[in-house]
Amino acid sequence: MRKTTKKDEELVAMAQQVAQDYYDEIHHCVGCALRSKSGVIYVGINMDGIHSICAEQVAISTATVAKDTDFATIVSVGVHKDGSTQIITPCGTCRQFFVEYAPNIEVITSDGVFSLQELLPQAYQIHNR
Ligand SMILES: [Zn+2]
């Protein structure tokens, strides 16, 4: 774990902005910001419904379409009904998704910045990467 930097805080602010801009009590309550090592930032929102997709997966998919898949840092922010926000840690499905699509990513949490290995030790892996 490491402490957050100014760049990390900028990413948090972007995730907060996305989460608040697209907030919809039924469909969208999480915003995500993902920085690739190229410096480009991609964002995503969760898509709730019968089959839900997490904001983190949307952001990684968007970056993948842009062929920018060397990821540096990711953060997600949830919005409460009163409009307040909080950094949220990725769900188990997203942690496994990172193992497969972003194995070197760092995750910003309210307690600091963690490696994927720290968040999901002994992860399930089909292939050796
Ligand atoms: Zn998730």
Side-chain angles (χ1 to χ4, degrees):
M1 193 267 289
R2 66 170 173 80
K3 291 183 177 180
T4 55
T5 64
K6 190 167 185 162
K7 274 177 99 173
D8 296 328
E9 290 163 14
E10 290 170 2
L11 207 60
V12 171
M14 186 160 288
Q16 282 174 324
Q17 189 67 53
V18 169
Q20 290 175 321
D21 284 353
Y22 293 93
Y23 176 75
D24 165 336
E25 188 176 336
I26 297 171
H27 299 108
H28 316 295
C29 59
V30 177
C32 174
L34 162 68
R35 187 189 309 274
S36 74
K37 288 186 179 169
S38 71
V40 176
I41 295 173
Y42 301 91
V43 296
I45 55 171
N46 71 311
M47 308 290 284
D48 269 348
I50 293 173
H51 299 288
S52 299
I53 304 171
C54 293
E56 296 92 328
Q57 295 174 39
V58 172
I60 287 179
S61 176
T62 302
T64 301
V65 168
K67 300 185 185 303
D68 192 6
T69 58
D70 194 4
F71 304 121
T73 318
I74 194 166
V75 64
S76 293
V77 171
V79 180
H80 298 286
K81 287 182 182 177
D82 66 3
S84 64
T85 62
Q86 72 176 92
I87 294 174
I88 57 174
T89 56
C91 73
T93 299
C94 282
R95 293 178 197 205
Q96 183 62 42
F97 191 83
F98 296 163
V99 169
E100 296 171 26
Y101 292 99
N104 299 315
I105 203 161
E106 289 186 312
V107 180
I108 300 170
T109 75
S110 55
D111 296 321
V113 183
F114 291 84
S115 69
L116 184 54
Q117 174 65 29
E118 290 172 313
L119 286 183
L120 189 61
Q122 303 295 322
Y124 175 77
Q125 288 187 312
I126 299 173
H127 308 288
N128 290 330
R129 294 182 189 231

